[in-house]
Every structure is written in C-alpha cells, then in structure tokens.
Amino acid sequence: MTVTTHPPLRKIGFDDCVLDPDARELRRAGRLVEMEPRVFDLLYLLARRPEHSFSKDEIAAALWPGRVISDTVISQAIRKARQACGDSASQQRVIKTLHGVGYRFNAATRHDDGNGARSPMQAGREGFSRPVRYALWAVTGLVIVAFLSWRPWQSPVPELPQRITIAALPATEAGLVGESLSAGLEVLLSRMTAERSDIQLITSQRTERTLDGLGLDPRGDDAVLLEALRQTLGVDYLIRSVVARDETGYRLRAELSGPEGPKRLIQPELGDLASMVRGFASELARELGASFREQEGIPVFSADDFVNEAYVRALNALLAGDNRAATALFASVLELDPALIYARYELGNAHWQLGEHEQAGEHYQVSLEKALELDAPRLAGHASTMLGVLAWQGGSLDEAQAWYERALTHYEAASDEHAAASALGNLGNLADQHGDLDRAAELHLNARDRFRAADDLVGESATFTNLAVISRQRSRLHEAQRYQQQAAEMQRRLGIDSMLVRSLTYLAALDVEMGDWEKGEALLDEAMQMAADQDNHFGMAEVRVEQARLALNRLKGASAASIAELALSDFEQLGSPTGQALALAILAEADLVRGKPESALERLALADTVDQNISKPRDRAARKLLRARALNALEKPEEAHSTIDDIMSSPDQLIIALARAGLASLAWSSGEHEAGLALWRAALEALETLDEPGQRARLRIRLAEAHLDRLEIEPAIGYLRLAAEWNSECQQLRLQHARLALLQGRVEEAADIVANLLDATELPDRSPFRQQLVELHASIHPGAHADVTAAPDSGSEPSG
C-alpha cells in the first residue's frame, strides 16, 4: 500500500525569529518562545502573506471561524504576538497597525526549506492610513448615554418598579438571516423590551466584551457565565437565541437561563420582522411575570416590513461605523415612514459622528419635539443629551448645562436610573469646567450612587475617574490616587480597555507629581500600547501629554517638544480645542526651558485663540503663569507683574501659591532679595496646607537655590533634605546639591554631579539650566577649558 505524505510546511524567518508551522514553534535568537496556540496561528497567518493587509474581519474568520468576537480579543492577540517576537505597538517593526483597516506583517521575511537554504520574501513596507475617527465622548470624559440600545442593566431605587436584567449571548443566525441584519435586530429587541416592559436587555456585543475582560468564553457553562455577569453587571438571566428566516417569515427561538435552575424556552410565532420582535418581548415578559404594555406609544416599527428591514440595515451600518451609509439608509427609512422618531434620532447620531453638527442638531431637535408630543421621556432625554454635547463642543457651556438639566428631568420621568446617573455625571463635568469643584464632587457622588443602585459597574468606574479629576483640582492628590486606583481596578476586571487607558494615564500623572517617575513611566508605556492596540487616538494623545510632562521634569526639552507636537497633531485631527490648548502650553514650557521665550509667547497666544475660554480655570491660569515667565525672560517685568496680578483673585489656592512664587521670582530678578524670599516662604506656607508634594518640592529647591546664592548653607540644607524625600534624582535638586558640596569643600563630589548632569541633560547653550551648569563647571575647574559642548536644542530649566 502506498502511503501519501505531505511535504513539510516551510519555515519563515524574520528579524532574529524563526516560525516553524510543523512544530508549531517560534524561536527567537535560537530560544523557544512560549505562545498560546491562537497567537501562534495569528503570527503565522500574517507572516506567510506579508504583502497582504488583513482586516479584523479576515482575522476573525480565519482564527475564530463561526464565532462573533470583539475587536478587543483581536487587539489582545496582536499585542501578545508582538511581545513574543520582541515587537511593540510603539515600534511596529513586525506587525503594522493600519488605522481603520487592520494589520499587516511589516518585517522582511525569508523562507527556510528545511535544508538550510534560505530565500528572501517581500520585505515589509510602510502602511497607509485613512482619517482618524473622532474619539467618542472626548468632550465629557464620561460614558454619557449609549446611542442605540440604552444600557439596560438598571435596578431601581426602592420606590420604582423592579427591573429584570437579561444579558444576551451571541445569537446564531440561520436561513436568510445574516450578519447584515442580526446586530440591528438585537437593538430593536432591546428597545422593544425597554419601551414596553420592565425588562432590560443587555446586547450580546456588550455581554461578550465583558466576558472577554473576565477571561470567559461566551460558549462556556451558563451557570458560570451568569454568576460572573451577576457580579459585574447585575444580571438576573442569560439568553441564547437562534434567529432564522425563510420565505414564510422570521422565527426566533431562545433559551432563558436563570438562578432557579431549568432553562425556559421563548419561541414566538412565525411572522414578519415586527411581529417576531413584538412577540418575543411579549412572551419574555409573560414568562418572567413582568407586565407588557400593548399600546403603541412611541413607534418602534413601521407597518411596512420592507421599511423595517431597511431600518435594521441602517442600525447595523451605524453600529459598524459606516456612518455615510447609515445616513443614506436612515434618510430613506424616514422618507417612507416619518413616524419612526428613533430613526430620526439615530440619523442625528450618524451625522454627529461624521462631524456634521448642524445637520445632527436639526435631527435631535425634531426628535425632541416629537418625543415630547408622544410622551416619550426616555427619547426626550437622549435627544437633550446630544444637544448638550453639541453645545459643549461649540463652546456654549451654559447652553450645555441647560440641556443636561432637561435630560436629567426626562430620565427621572422615565424612571431610567442609569441614564439619569449619566446626566448627573455630565453636569458634574460642566461644574468642574466652570471651576465649581464642590458642586462637581457632589454631582459625581450622586451619579456614583445611582450607577451603584443600577448595578452599573462601568458607569460607577467612570465616576471614580471623574472624582479623581476633581480631587486633583482640589489639590488632594492622595485622595485622587485612591479614586483612580478604584476606577482602574474595576475597569481591568470588566475588560473596559478604552476607559482603562485614561485611568492608567491619570494614575501615571499622579505618580509623577508624587515623585515616582519610574512607576509613572511604566504606566504610560502600558497605556500607550493599549491605546495603540485599540486604535484609540484620543487615548494616545492624552498619554503623549503626560509623557511630555515627564520629559520636562527630566529636563528633556527637545523630547518634550517632539512628543507634545504629536499630541497637538492628534488633538487637531480629533477636533479637541482643549486638547490643542494643553499641548500648546506644554510646547511653550519646552520653549522656555530651552531659552526661547519669544516662541513660548507665540504658542501661548495661539493656545488662547484655540481655547476660547473652554479650558478649566486652572489650565487658563497656568498659561498666564507661563506667559509671565516668558515676559520676565524678555526683561519685561512690568508686563509679567500685570499678568500675574490678573490671577491673584483666583479661588484656587494652588494658583494663588504659584502666583506668589512667580512674584517672588520677579522680585529676586530685580534685586529685591528680601521681598523675594518672603514671597517664596508665603507661597510654601500656603502649599503646606495642600496635598501637592511635587509643587512643594519644586518650591523648596528654589528656596534652597536662593539661600545658596546668599551663601546661607543651613537653611539650604533643610530645604534640600525635604525636597529629596520627593525625588532624589530630580536634576534641579542635584544641581543645588553640587553647589552645596562645592561650598562645603567637597569638590570631587560636586565635579561628579556636574559631569553627570552635563552628560544626562543635553541642553542647548542658551538654556538657563545649561548656563548654570557651565558656570558651576568653571568654578570647579578654574582656568580649565572643559568640553561641555551642548546639544543643538534640547533640555529644560529649573521650575523656579
């Protein structure tokens, strides 16, 4: 008998790695790398076709055939594949992210035929990109209210009717039903149950994303899944369904699993699309002993099934991010049946995501008017919320507040605790924007309690982030850190990577202010990789802002400027004026530390033009302090003094303290040393009442510098000792330690510190910090001509 054998698959080499598909092994520099089977399959899939750009759908079909998976699962597999071969999201030497498209193998590859002979394959090439998508809810920093199916896991406060929460698992399609309809159908099922009963249905997309974050397979044991979802989303039941269609109509068969044991079958009669959805909602309510309101109220469906199918396809296009197709489909639906008010609202959402705000506003306004006519408070709340978002984006904060207050009233009338909590969160963010921090904290705590009552851990985690922001604005950094850690822990547990990016970024910023720069840097690296894997451009921009600030702390002016330029570009593409103003302020500070005050003033003027007073009061005041520094560097003390006077009436005690420190610098520069010292001491005394360790340390270093200028060693030692408790590696601190060592006769120690700083900081000659270093080097080595050539344009200066 002849035995048929298959030739071995060819090994693929790239960089210092070799993929062996027969042995299912990856070796890197000759060493075996452990990999999950599916991660190996992903790497091999990409490597054997380096010329091909794989969409996420192609990857999903190849590696998870027959399953509907979230983008997060693919992103996690990409991240693990990169780690296995020594790549990262920031480098992308091996796997290239094609924003809005998918991924491509980017390394030059070679074939190994098994006999040691190698043949080159096509080298990796640079990818192309399309315009980035706007980051959702970048305006508010809180998950506001979902566009389509309003998150249905709410539980009431005691006086409200008890709601039943059901999580849908991925449906199976059969017959003529396919992915082109299934997602949109689920939205309408969720809406029908929410509008007609006290049942709330969590869509399968959200259920699966939560299970992915928990490391659970949606195909697993229902009892295990139900318990996990009960603890995270307050779920009472699970439902698995099969949706089928043939020439006679639609059929839905669903199995309901609950804590009481046996599964229950939900199977409405065969019919058209509207009949199937209405029958499902009615039978589900009957099975669970919940009421079902037969009266029409706000129409969910059209009487024409052709219109309903077009409506479902429009919803599916919107969910898939094909907003241009969605606008055309929704417009057609409304032309055939203008009574579908939800379709009008969703048409506004499609226009909003396309950046067509005027058209979006018109549709939201019509939706609101019709919702009020039909006594539909939930939809009225949705429309009011989005009108508030538009007002905020347009810079009309008072108008935004009025819309959010109306939305809260509508949601409370609809007994929708989740949506009401979101409205409170938006009002809290507006209060923060106005500088009313006590009111902001009160609103966010109220929102947290409502999310908690609604068993909504996602919303609750968002309020912890907002409370952390408020605590930081109140100069309570340790309290802010506790809130942000709570948010991050919840988001890791729930698998909400998009929100976790922001939490890690904010935690990193707090660590840097508390002096733990290495920990902050590690968190920023993690957040950047996570944001890149998600194609989260707003998240990447926020990470870059904090990376630039860290670079300034380390006196890396050029690095800070280059990172801030990337952040500025991101914010410009995302249409975020507050983000642009923030990046411009960092660029201005980078100019100051590199000795370029004229350029700093130009950037600050541009920041004010872009901002139009949308930024928070503290951010605007910080720009004025930078302007005063630039004017002082240009020997314009009167203008600098006037600029600082403008913010001396601020209610923010941190700003008042920093303003006094700025006046102290002006007095010291003009030779009024006693007045300068008195103002610095007053500023430090004010900071002692605030939880601002970084600002206190910087001011102590500045006071130590002043005392060393006056050869007053003892007070300088005291200030330096306290500052070292914050961060002993701070370059400004080390410079003053070198000066102190020289004054105390420890010349070799001073020389070592100066030599290390000259090597580490790489500042241009015009940098104030560089000039101090060169002068100190000359004092240590009188008469010697030292090789202290500066870098072309990098570095920083003391914060004082």
Side-chain angles (χ1 to χ4, degrees):
M1 181 176 68
T2 302
V3 178
T4 302
T5 60
H6 297 281
L9 295 169
R10 302 178 77 186
K11 297 177 183 179
I12 300 175
F14 57 93
D15 282 4
D16 60 344
C17 298
V18 176
L19 268 174
D20 186 344
D22 282 318
R24 294 187 62 79
E25 290 180 350
L26 170 69
R27 291 189 177 272
R28 182 176 164 203
R31 302 182 65 179
L32 182 65
V33 179
E34 292 187 3
M35 298 178 70
E36 297 172 10
R38 193 165 271 138
V39 176
F40 180 92
D41 292 339
L42 171 61
L43 190 57
Y44 185 63
L45 174 74
L46 299 175
R48 67 183 178 180
R49 294 182 64 192
E51 78 288 352
H52 184 67
S53 300
F54 286 85
S55 70
K56 292 181 180 179
D57 288 342
E58 285 179 278
I59 294 172
L63 302 184
W64 291 271
R67 282 192 57 197
V68 179
I69 65 159
S70 67
D71 289 351
T72 302
V73 176
I74 297 174
S75 298
Q76 290 173 345
I78 289 287
R79 176 174 57 81
K80 291 176 181 177
R82 282 173 170 157
Q83 288 177 341
C85 50
D87 195 14
S88 68
S90 58
Q91 295 176 336
Q92 299 191 21
R93 292 180 296 101
V94 178
I95 299 176
K96 176 80 173 177
T97 299
L98 306 178
H99 297 308
V101 178
Y103 302 94
R104 187 182 59 236
F105 202 80
N106 202 45
T109 56
R110 59 189 181 274
H111 271 155
D112 186 334
D113 63 6
N115 297 317
R118 295 182 174 183
S119 59
M121 295 175 64
Q122 181 174 337
R125 52 197 168 93
E126 286 303 310
F128 49 87
S129 63
R130 69 176 187 178
V132 296
R133 298 174 181 171
Y134 283 14
L136 297 182
W137 314 120
V139 178
T140 62
L142 175 70
V143 178
I144 306 177
V145 187
F147 288 155
L148 301 168
S149 56
W150 300 94
R151 292 195 184 144
W153 49 87
Q154 60 228 27
S155 299
V157 290
E159 67 271 22
L160 299 176
Q162 181 64 41
R163 292 188 182 273
I164 300 169
T165 305
I166 302 174
L169 292 166
T172 302
E173 298 90 10
L176 301 176
V177 177
E179 289 185 1
S180 60
L181 288 178
S182 59
L185 272 174
E186 200 173 68
V187 169
L188 294 181
L189 287 168
S190 174
R191 183 167 298 152
M192 177 64 76
T193 56
E195 291 289 340
R196 303 291 182 84
S197 71
D198 293 323
I199 297 172
Q200 297 292 342
L201 182 69
I202 300 177
T203 60
S204 63
Q205 185 180 34
R206 175 157 190 76
T207 301
E208 190 172 24
R209 187 164 63 245
T210 302
L211 291 174
D212 283 341
L214 297 171
L216 295 174
D217 189 333
R219 298 171 299 180
D221 181 74
D222 283 1
V224 174
L225 300 181
L226 178 60
E227 178 59 22
L229 292 169
R230 184 189 66 77
Q231 293 182 15
T232 52
L233 299 179
V235 166
D236 301 305
Y237 294 90
L238 286 181
I239 196 162
R240 293 184 185 271
S241 57
V242 177
V243 184
R245 181 190 178 196
D246 57 26
E247 291 77 6
T248 59
Y250 287 89
R251 184 184 304 279
L252 189 150
R253 185 179 184 277
E255 288 184 340
L256 186 70
S257 301
E260 62 274 13
K263 295 182 179 180
R264 291 184 262 183
L265 183 64
I266 310 295
Q267 190 168 354
E269 294 182 0
L270 182 71
D272 61 18
L273 192 150
S275 298
M276 180 196 72
V277 173
R278 190 180 294 110
F280 170 81
S282 175
E283 195 167 322
L284 183 63
R286 189 181 311 113
E287 184 68 31
L288 294 173
S291 61
F292 183 78
R293 296 177 287 278
E294 294 289 350
Q295 68 271 23
E296 180 65 18
I298 188 167
V300 177
F301 285 102
S302 171
D304 186 338
D305 211 46
F306 173 80
V307 176
N308 291 331
E309 293 198 7
Y311 188 10
V312 171
R313 293 182 189 280
L315 287 168
N316 201 71
L318 187 59
L319 288 167
D322 192 352
N323 297 301
R324 187 58 67 194
T327 56
L329 286 165
F330 281 128
S332 298
V333 166
L334 288 166
E335 186 176 348
L336 294 169
D337 192 343
L340 291 174
I341 307 306
Y342 263 110
R344 174 77 61 187
Y345 167 75
E346 285 143 356
L347 176 56
N349 287 335
H351 279 296
W352 180 74
Q353 292 198 70
L354 288 167
E356 298 166 354
H357 292 177
E358 185 175 349
Q359 297 96 314
E362 292 172 359
H363 292 301
Y364 292 141
Q365 191 67 53
V366 173
S367 302
L368 175 61
E369 293 168 2
K370 293 295 184 182
L372 293 174
E373 287 177 17
L374 295 170
D375 191 24
R378 183 178 285 105
L379 177 56
H382 300 344
S384 297
T385 295
M386 290 309 299
L387 286 165
V389 170
L390 289 175
W392 193 332
Q393 288 182 318
S396 303
L397 301 188
D398 291 338
E399 183 184 350
Q401 179 171 332
W403 281 120
Y404 287 147
E405 288 172 348
R406 290 180 67 179
L408 177 60
T409 301
H410 293 314
Y411 289 139
E412 288 177 336
S415 301
D416 192 332
E417 282 296 288
H418 163 76
S422 294
L424 284 167
N426 292 331
L427 287 167
N429 286 330
L430 275 171
D432 178 15
Q433 203 77 13
H434 282 300
D436 190 349
L437 301 182
D438 290 339
R439 177 62 176 160
E442 178 187 349
L443 287 163
H444 285 309
L445 286 169
N446 195 345
R448 182 200 62 184
D449 292 342
R450 292 209 187 195
F451 279 127
R452 190 173 285 171
D455 294 321
D456 181 355
L457 297 184
V458 177
E460 187 180 345
S461 77
T463 60
F464 280 126
T465 291
N466 287 320
L467 286 166
V469 171
I470 298 302
S471 294
R472 186 170 183 183
Q473 293 278 347
R474 291 165 127 183
S475 293
R476 301 175 182 176
L477 266 61
H478 285 84
E479 180 182 84
Q481 189 177 51
R482 288 194 297 273
Y483 278 134
Q484 199 61 71
Q485 284 171 341
Q486 285 180 284
E489 288 167 4
M490 293 176 74
Q491 289 154 13
R492 281 192 193 277
R493 190 168 72 249
L494 295 170
I496 318 168
D497 287 353
S498 58
M499 296 175 72
L500 183 57
V501 167
R502 172 165 286 180
S503 289
L504 294 177
T505 304
Y506 288 2
L507 269 178
L510 290 165
D511 284 331
V512 169
E513 270 306 291
M514 291 179 178
D516 196 342
W517 294 355
E518 289 187 3
K519 183 179 177 184
E521 184 176 29
L523 285 173
L524 290 173
D525 288 344
E526 182 183 0
M528 178 59 81
Q529 179 156 331
M530 193 176 291
D533 287 342
Q534 299 167 17
D535 197 18
N536 178 354
H537 288 265
F538 197 88
M540 287 189 281
E542 289 195 319
V543 173
R544 286 181 175 127
V545 164
E546 300 306 331
Q547 287 176 327
R549 282 177 168 155
L550 178 57
L552 283 173
N553 273 292
R554 287 173 164 165
L555 302 182
K556 301 291 185 181
S559 296
S562 63
I563 297 169
E565 287 283 7
L566 291 173
L568 177 61
S569 176
D570 286 339
F571 285 130
E572 286 173 346
Q573 293 183 63
L574 292 164
S576 172
T578 54
Q580 292 174 59
L582 195 59
L584 285 165
I586 292 174
L587 284 166
E589 186 165 7
D591 284 335
L592 284 173
V593 301
R594 292 180 294 168
K596 301 194 292 185
E598 298 93 342
S599 176
L601 286 175
E602 291 175 4
R603 294 191 194 274
L604 292 168
L606 181 56
D608 289 342
T609 301
V610 169
D611 182 13
Q612 297 181 343
N613 286 331
I614 298 176
S615 291
K616 296 176 183 178
R618 179 174 284 189
D619 292 333
R620 297 199 299 271
R623 291 203 299 270
K624 288 193 175 185
L625 288 170
L626 287 173
R627 183 175 291 107
R629 282 178 58 187
L631 290 167
N632 192 35
L634 291 170
E635 299 182 356
K636 297 180 180 180
E638 292 183 2
E639 291 182 47
H641 204 292
S642 176
T643 301
I644 294 176
D645 285 342
D646 287 345
I647 58 175
M648 284 300 294
S649 59
S650 170
D652 188 333
Q653 292 306 303
L654 176 63
I655 292 301
I656 293 297
L658 295 180
R660 284 179 179 150
L663 292 174
S665 294
L666 292 176
W668 189 269
S669 298
S670 63
E672 300 174 22
H673 290 179
E674 293 300 331
L677 282 172
L679 283 167
W680 273 320
R681 289 178 187 132
L684 182 58
E685 184 178 350
L687 286 175
E688 296 289 359
T689 66
L690 306 176
D691 185 8
E692 290 281 356
Q695 297 293 357
R696 282 200 300 271
R698 295 181 187 99
L699 192 47
R700 284 167 176 156
I701 293 169
R702 188 63 188 88
L703 274 162
E705 181 180 359
H707 282 293
L708 289 175
D709 287 347
R710 291 157 61 99
L711 304 180
E712 297 168 351
I713 292 178
E714 290 305 315
I717 290 174
Y719 286 126
L720 292 177
R721 185 181 68 252
L722 290 172
E725 294 176 1
W726 174 66
N727 186 313
S728 60
E729 296 303 311
C730 172
Q731 280 86 339
Q732 296 99 323
L733 176 68
R734 293 174 65 201
L735 173 61
Q736 302 313 318
H737 272 306
R739 295 181 66 201
L740 176 63
L742 186 60
L743 287 173
Q744 293 180 324
R746 293 178 281 119
V747 179
E748 290 186 9
E749 181 183 340
D752 288 343
I753 295 173
V754 171
N756 288 334
L757 288 174
L758 284 169
D759 290 340
T761 51
E762 300 177 353
L763 302 171
D765 286 335
R766 62 173 172 268
S767 162
F769 189 86
R770 175 78 185 187
Q771 291 172 4
Q772 291 183 58
L773 277 179
V774 171
E775 290 172 6
L776 190 56
H777 186 279
S779 299
I780 296 170
H781 305 283
H785 189 74
D787 181 13
V788 291
T789 304
D793 193 11
S794 64
S796 185
E797 68 172 351
S799 59

